[in-house]
């Protein structure tokens, strides 16, 4: 008996001594160093070194968007840091080279250990939290719905291309359970003068990649369960995906729900000025049913000589002259190969990450400068 | 003279990586870049040269047969106890590096905590015990073994740096060519074997 007992005791005592030493060292070494974070060369925050930057900013009631809980997977929490710290691989996948060089980083991936100067985009400081009511839900296809949202008391001064965040509470719907409060980003698909005090969102249901397991998207499961009249919490507007005001030819390339900000931008553009610069819109969907807002764009095409609309389907073969079966960027590529100067065109891309990546690569291969490519990555 | 022999043996004759093949995983993983190889080498040297003498004390005053009382033999616990001391030391070192050199901390990443399970560190602790080194001998042996590991790692890193510009067959790029290089280096180092 003693032969078991004594070694166990000695080992436990030994580990206890080591743990004590460790705790002591932790106490001694964990820095209580105070640092100052200057925001937009105006506001100064005092905090402890090595704290997560995103949580420091959010404690100051600044609505820096974030929809992944700081895991570095949504890419929304961007801010500019000077002096620029090392960029992590997680950050490199969301930021272009020019942004990285300017010191743009993801706040959730940074733990500043020295004084820093922080530049937070102006739109973040103007964003507000507000409650809103879903006033109308329209099914555009089996997987895509349009939500009309009435703002309860405040107005939303947004620019076409902006997005809002919808708070997703804890919920249980049938077998589907979400036990963490979170939020999701949705682009506004209406344009400012289309509806007063309301905004429209166009949302695709994020179905589980494997029908045998319940892995449907959290946000869309909750949102698709909301009925007309449901109250929701939103914050916004956020975004820098705006149309440049010039008379260059503009080429919009979208896939799936990526149509939302592009619809807002294109319709707003023709609302405001009809300018004579050429505008093309390339839209890729899965099947003919998912070609949302098609009629609207066909009408626009008839009405304005300088607007053209092209659609292609990635998964089904439709017997229609005006549709092709391919990925949309290959169709755009064919057009640009015969274009006299693809490098003089501005590109606005929006959609799922693989589409954005493939399209950006295609454009760069055609000699287009990164500077003339604007995009919103839906992840 | 005896000590110099020990140093030579640690660095060249019984090089932990190239003769005994211990501590291979961080050796291969961290030798992609010279600066991170140097950083990790520094960490390995520190951990090894502190952990081994420390483990020597633990062994001689606690675990060795008859260390505490004539009929007690705790030597069977050496693996688990040695690993525990190494883990604690690595933790402290990790904190120290994080505090005083964040860039190095970022660069070492996961490999720093992984030194805990670096077999080279445990290996040298077990060797000094097996060979009944004195305290000073164990310190010298451990430091020179660690330097041996560092030398091998930095050499491989510089060679891999050179090789980046060469035309390595497609399928051998990365780990493949690193293994071949390690093998060649081991052959070269085996020449030191007969010297001591
Ligand atoms: C700036 C911006 C604007 C946006 N605008 C719009 C918009 O206008 N319209 C729109 O529809 N969307 C938009 N999005 C995307 C939107 O924010 C959500 O990402 C999207 O709706 C999916 O959210 P979710 O919570 O339903 O899915 P999540 O729960 O976030 O899951 C994402 C996907 O992963 C799958 N998944 C989950 N778990 C696993 C697993 N273990 N293995 C494999 N797959 C898994 C899910 O099925 C789902 O398809 C926008 C995003 C951004 C960043
Ligand atoms: S919070 Fe999502 S990337 Fe930082």
């Amino acid at each position: 008996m003693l032969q078991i007992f004594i070694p166990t005791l000695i080992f436990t005592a030994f580990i206890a001594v080591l743990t004590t030493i460790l705790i002591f060292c932790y106490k001694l070494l964990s820095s209580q160093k105070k640092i100052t974070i200057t925001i937009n060369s105006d506001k100064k925050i005092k905090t402890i070194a090595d704290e997560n930057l995103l949580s420091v900013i959010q404690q100051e009631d600044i609505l820096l968007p974030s929809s992944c809980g700081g895991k570095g997977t949504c890419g929304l929490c961007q801010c500019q840091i000077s002096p620029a710290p090392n960029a992590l691989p997680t950050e490199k996948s969301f930021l272009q080279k020019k942004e990285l060089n300017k010191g743009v980083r993801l706040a959730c991936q940074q733990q500043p250990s020295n004084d820093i100067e922080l530049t937070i985009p102006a739109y973040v400081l103007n964003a507000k939290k507000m409650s809103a009511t879903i006033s109308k839900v329209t099914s555009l296809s089996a997987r895509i719905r349009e939500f009309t949202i009435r703002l309860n008391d405040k107005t939303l001064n947004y620019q076409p291309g902006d997005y809002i965040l919808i708070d997703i509470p804890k919920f249980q719907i049938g077998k589907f359970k979400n036990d963490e409060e979170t939020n999701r980003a949705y682009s506004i698909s209406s344009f400012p003068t289309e509806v007063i005090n309301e905004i429209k969102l166009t949302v695709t249901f994020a179905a589980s990649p494997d029908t045998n397991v319940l892995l449907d998207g959290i946000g869309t499961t909750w949102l698709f369960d909301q009925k007309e009249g449901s109250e929701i919490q939103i914050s916004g507007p956020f975004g820098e995906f705006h149309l440049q005001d010039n008379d260059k030819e503009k080429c919009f390339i979208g896939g799936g729900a990526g149509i939302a900000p592009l619809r807002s931008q294109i319709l707003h553009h023709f609302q405001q000025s009809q300018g004579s610069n050429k505008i093309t819109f390339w839209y890729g969907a899965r099947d003919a049913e998912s070609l949302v807002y098609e009629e609207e764009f066909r009408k626009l095409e008839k009405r304005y000589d300088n607007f053209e609309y092209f659609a292609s389907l990635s998964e089904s073969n439709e017997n229609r002259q005006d549709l092709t079966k391919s990925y949309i960027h290959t169709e755009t590529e064919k057009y640009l190969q015969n274009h006299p100067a693809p490098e003089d065109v501005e590109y606005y891309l929006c959609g799922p990450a693989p589409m954005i990546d493939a399209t950006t690569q295609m454009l760069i291969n055609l000699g287009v400068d990164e500077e003339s490519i604007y995009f919103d990555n839906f992840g | 003279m005896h000590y110099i022999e020990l140093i030579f043996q640690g660095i060249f004759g019984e090089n932990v990586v190239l003769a005994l093949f211990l501590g291979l995983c961080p050796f291969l993983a961290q030798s992609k870049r010279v600066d991170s190889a140097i950083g990790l080498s520094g960490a390995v040297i520190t951990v090894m040269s502190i952990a081994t003498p420390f483990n020597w004390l633990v062994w001689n005053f606690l675990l060795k047969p008859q260390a505490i009382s004539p009929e007690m033999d705790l030597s069977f616990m050496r693996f688990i106890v040695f690993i525990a001391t190494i883990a604690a030391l690595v933790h402290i070192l990790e904190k120290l590096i994080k505090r005083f050199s964040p860039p190095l901390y970022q660069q070492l990443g996961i490999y720093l905590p992984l030194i805990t399970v670096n077999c080279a560190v445990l290996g040298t602790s077990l060797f000094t015990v097996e060979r009944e080194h004195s305290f000073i001998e164990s310190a010298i042996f451990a430091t020179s073994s660690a330097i041996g590991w560092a030398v091998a790692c930095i050499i491989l890193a510089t060679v891999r740096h050179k090789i980046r510009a060469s035309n390595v067959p497609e399928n051998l790029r990365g780990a493949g060519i690193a293994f071949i290089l390690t093998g060649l280096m081991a052959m070269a180092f085996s020449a030191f074997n007969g010297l001591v």
Side-chain angles (χ1 to χ4, degrees):
Chain A
M1 195 60 207
L2 220 59
Q3 266 164 345
I4 301 173
F5 190 65
I6 294 183
T8 319
L9 195 78
I10 292 180
F11 184 68
T12 320
F14 185 74
I15 295 290
V17 171
L18 282 183
T19 317
T20 326
I21 300 176
L22 258 187
I23 294 176
F24 185 72
C25 285
Y26 267 47
K27 273 254 153 63
L28 208 70
L29 289 176
S30 71
S31 71
Q32 292 298 319
K33 192 171 128 195
K34 291 261 189 314
I35 58 164
T36 312
I37 298 176
T38 317
I39 297 180
N40 295 1
S41 52
D42 172 32
K43 189 169 173 175
K44 285 191 179 355
I45 312 178
K46 291 227 180 307
T47 175
I48 317 172
D50 300 332
E51 290 269 293
N52 183 291
L53 186 56
L54 180 65
S55 41
V56 172
I57 295 174
Q58 285 179 338
Q59 272 158 24
E60 292 298 309
D61 282 334
I62 295 172
L63 294 177
L64 192 66
S66 122
S67 75
C68 65
K71 295 196 201 84
T73 55
C74 71
L76 297 182
C77 58
Q78 301 180 4
C79 58
Q80 197 179 335
I81 304 178
S82 139
N86 283 346
L88 299 171
T90 36
E91 300 180 298
K92 286 183 187 151
S93 60
F94 281 102
L95 300 164
Q96 288 179 320
K97 264 207 201 82
K98 58 178 180 195
E99 294 174 313
L100 287 169
N101 293 341
K102 271 195 282 173
V104 179
R105 298 286 182 274
L106 300 180
C108 67
Q109 302 295 298
Q110 294 292 335
Q111 289 108 23
S113 47
N114 291 306
D115 290 358
I116 51 166
E117 299 254 349
L118 205 61
T119 313
I120 290 178
Y123 66 81
V124 171
L125 301 176
N126 294 330
K128 287 173 281 193
K129 252 192 170 339
M130 61 193 90
S131 72
T133 313
I134 298 182
S135 57
K136 200 169 155 211
V137 183
T138 320
S139 269
L140 301 181
S141 81
R143 293 168 61 246
I144 306 180
R145 282 188 198 170
E146 184 187 82
F147 292 86
T148 309
I149 290 172
R150 180 159 20 85
L151 308 163
N152 286 354
D153 31 42
K154 293 183 184 154
T155 49
L156 202 65
N157 286 324
Y158 67 93
Q159 288 189 53
D162 280 349
Y163 66 91
I164 57 158
L165 288 177
I166 298 187
D167 288 359
I168 311 291
K170 296 177 189 171
F171 66 87
Q172 175 150 25
I173 296 170
K175 278 202 197 123
F176 194 98
K177 196 163 172 228
N178 170 41
D179 34 34
E180 207 181 346
E181 278 177 24
T182 174
N183 56 34
R184 289 289 181 268
Y186 294 100
S187 301
I188 301 174
S189 57
S190 54
F191 55 94
T193 47
E194 181 179 355
V195 274
I196 309 293
N197 266 344
E198 285 190 326
I199 52 171
K200 285 185 186 172
L201 308 177
T202 309
V203 180
T204 306
F205 186 74
S208 171
D210 180 350
T211 42
N212 297 321
V213 244
L214 196 59
L215 285 176
D216 292 343
I218 295 167
T220 44
T221 299
W222 182 79
L223 199 57
F224 275 50
D225 190 57
Q226 302 305 305
K227 307 271 164 344
E228 289 173 8
S230 301
E231 188 157 309
I232 58 172
Q233 298 298 319
I234 64 171
S235 49
F238 300 110
E240 286 182 314
F241 183 50
H242 298 149
L243 224 55
Q244 304 299 306
D245 193 12
N246 55 31
D247 50 14
K248 283 192 181 170
E249 173 178 347
K250 293 179 170 38
C251 180
F252 294 84
I253 309 168
I259 197 168
L262 304 183
R263 175 183 184 269
S264 176
Q265 291 170 336
I266 296 171
L267 296 188
H268 183 73
H269 175 81
F270 283 106
Q271 238 331 274
Q272 292 293 304
S273 67
Q274 284 87 39
S276 57
N277 50 334
K278 185 165 182 186
I279 291 189
T280 52
F281 178 28
W282 303 81
Y283 183 54
R286 256 191 210 189
D287 41 36
E289 192 217 22
S290 314
L291 279 179
V292 292
Y293 303 120
E294 187 190 2
E295 233 168 85
E296 202 169 30
F297 286 110
R298 296 273 183 221
K299 263 192 213 150
L300 207 64
E301 195 176 29
K302 282 211 189 86
R303 202 162 140 210
Y304 297 105
D305 289 339
N306 57 340
F307 178 70
E308 278 179 69
Y309 171 79
F310 305 90
S312 77
L313 307 177
S314 59
E315 280 177 17
S316 80
N317 244 334
E318 200 76 12
N319 244 345
R320 266 172 60 181
Q321 283 250 293
D322 52 351
L323 291 179
T324 47
K325 180 174 188 293
S326 61
Y327 285 116
I328 190 65
H329 67 274
T330 55
E331 296 303 307
T332 323
E333 189 173 17
K334 283 181 211 154
Y335 164 75
L336 290 172
Q337 272 162 351
N338 297 321
H339 194 287
E343 64 278 7
D344 288 341
V345 181
E346 272 177 356
Y347 301 88
Y348 296 86
L349 329 178
C350 190
M355 183 220 116
I356 304 258
D357 292 344
T359 314
T360 315
Q361 200 51 51
M362 177 274 285
L363 291 175
I364 285 175
N365 290 346
L366 282 173
V368 177
D369 192 27
E370 256 194 16
E371 303 265 343
S372 10
I373 307 176
Y374 303 87
F375 63 84
D376 224 2
N377 192 335
F378 279 11
Chain B
M1 197 54 211
H2 169 65
Y3 291 140
I4 297 174
E5 239 171 58
L6 210 56
I7 295 175
F8 199 81
Q9 192 185 21
I11 303 182
F12 299 108
E14 280 190 4
N15 188 295
V16 257
V17 205
L18 298 175
L20 304 171
F21 293 101
L22 292 174
L24 268 179
C25 29
F27 170 76
L28 288 173
Q30 264 332 60
S31 57
K32 285 192 203 104
R33 291 181 44 190
V34 180
D35 48 355
S36 52
I38 293 175
L40 188 71
S41 298
V44 168
I45 293 176
T46 324
V47 172
M48 231 146 126
S49 47
I50 300 174
T52 312
F54 193 82
N55 279 336
W56 186 92
L57 292 177
V58 173
W59 170 258
N60 279 285
F61 294 105
L62 196 69
L63 302 180
K64 202 164 125 178
Q66 286 129 33
I68 315 180
S69 75
E71 62 268 24
M72 190 104 81
D73 180 4
L74 294 176
S75 56
F76 68 93
M77 288 194 346
R78 61 182 185 274
F79 286 93
I80 190 168
V81 170
F82 285 0
I83 282 285
T85 48
I86 294 169
L89 272 170
V90 168
H91 252 286
I92 296 172
L93 190 74
E94 192 184 345
K95 273 274 156 190
L96 273 169
I97 294 184
K98 187 173 182 189
R99 180 86 162 74
F100 294 109
S101 172
L104 180 61
Y105 178 78
Q106 238 182 21
Q107 218 168 60
L108 293 178
I110 186 69
Y111 292 103
L112 190 53
L114 274 185
I115 297 182
T116 312
V117 286
N118 186 337
C119 18
V121 183
L122 182 63
T124 28
S125 289
L126 292 172
F127 277 134
T128 53
V129 163
E130 206 94 311
R131 294 177 188 173
E132 297 179 352
H133 283 153
S134 71
F135 183 75
I136 308 226
E137 280 171 345
S138 86
I140 291 175
F141 178 71
T143 317
S144 40
S145 290
I147 294 174
W149 190 94
V151 165
C153 187
I154 295 169
I155 293 179
L156 183 64
T158 36
V159 175
R160 284 176 89 172
H161 184 81
K162 275 249 166 211
I163 237 173
R164 243 183 278 166
S166 357
N167 188 15
V168 178
E170 185 74 44
N171 296 331
L172 281 181
R173 300 227 167 115
I177 195 73
F179 271 111
I180 293 177
L181 287 173
T182 312
L184 290 175
M185 278 166 63
M187 278 200 253
F189 265 67
S190 69
F192 293 116
N193 247 340
L195 288 183
V196 273

